[in-house]
Amino acid sequence: MQKGLIIGATGSIGRAVRKMMLAQTDVHLTLYSRRANRLKLDAKRETAVAGSVLDDDQLDQTISGQDFVFVALSGDMANFATHIVASMERVNVHRLIFITTMGIYQEIPAWLGDSPEPYHNPILKSFRQAADRIEQSSLNYTIIRPGWYTNGPINYEITQKGEPFGGHNVSRQSIADYVIRLINDSTLDNQASVGINTPE
């Protein structure tokens, strides 16, 4: 049985991934969030840790022994990525799945909308810096670049880094389904940055 850590477990993507992972895998989950103590747990398969990703000692302790780390956060993404990557490298855990956002490589085609320069865009800058930090690491990472979140059914397409992004939106269920595929197939999209969207 694999052991997996969800950082950002109380957010909408973390909740969707957690729910699908419990239903479709036998992974034992550790749920990490500042509000993790509010979670109702499956005592046989889940452990909760209330903490900050900026607390290096607690992060090291929590990441140690995991088979993979899934991250879905908002805020100071570059700083969060720096702490998470450093911790994973310290405790020798290699598999990272990390949610950023579409547009960090100026991959939005003209028909879909504007594609601003990410380092000079206040929304995209921290996401791009987070991706840079991950790509420069020694980790086996998959960076996921979703469109705008919806509550629709599972229906998505994947684009690789360097390919134009395919659509505006993506459902939370679709993101969770793709994460399950990554967990179940160790050869899928390693050292990759992928866009995910609902086909237009």
Side-chain angles (χ1 to χ4, degrees), residues 137-164:
S137 75
S138 63
L139 302 179
N140 178 14
Y141 63 84
T142 305
I143 296 165
I144 300 175
R145 295 175 280 111
W148 299 107
Y149 301 151
T150 71
N151 292 317
I154 295 172
N155 179 25
Y156 63 95
E157 61 186 5
I158 296 294
T159 52
Q160 297 294 330
K161 184 178 179 180
E163 296 178 340

Side-chain angles (χ1 to χ4, degrees), residues 1-7 9 17-32 41-49 62-70 93 180 183-184:
M1 179 173 25
Q2 289 195 85
K3 296 179 180 178
L5 172 62
I6 298 178
I7 297 179
V17 168
R18 174 195 178 196
K19 183 177 180 180
M20 194 174 289
M21 214 169 277
L22 287 173
Q24 297 186 13
T25 77
D26 64 354
V27 173
H28 186 280
L29 291 174
T30 300
L31 309 174
Y32 195 91
L41 302 177
D42 178 338
K44 293 180 180 178
R45 289 187 53 197
E46 294 183 305
T47 304
V49 177
T62 306
I63 291 176
S64 182
Q66 303 289 345
D67 293 301
F68 65 86
V69 177
F70 170 74
V93 172
I180 299 299
I183 298 308
N184 287 335

Side-chain angles (χ1 to χ4, degrees), residues 103-107 115 118 128 131-132 135 143 145 161-162 193:
I104 61 171
Y105 304 115
Q106 290 186 283
E107 75 275 26
S115 193
R128 175 58 188 267
D132 289 345
E135 290 176 326
I143 296 165
R145 295 175 280 111
K161 184 178 179 180
S193 177

Side-chain angles (χ1 to χ4, degrees), residues 8 11-17 70-75 77 98-102 127 144-153 165 167-176 179 196-198:
S12 67
I13 299 299
R15 291 196 307 270
V17 168
F70 170 74
V71 181
L73 295 169
S74 59
M77 298 301 291
F98 196 101
I99 301 286
T100 59
T101 189
M102 63 177 177
F127 284 106
I144 300 175
R145 295 175 280 111
W148 299 107
Y149 301 151
T150 71
N151 292 317
F165 203 78
H168 291 92
N169 302 323
V170 67
S171 70
R172 293 172 177 85
Q173 287 289 98
S174 293
I175 296 170
V179 172
I196 182 169
N197 64 275
T198 305

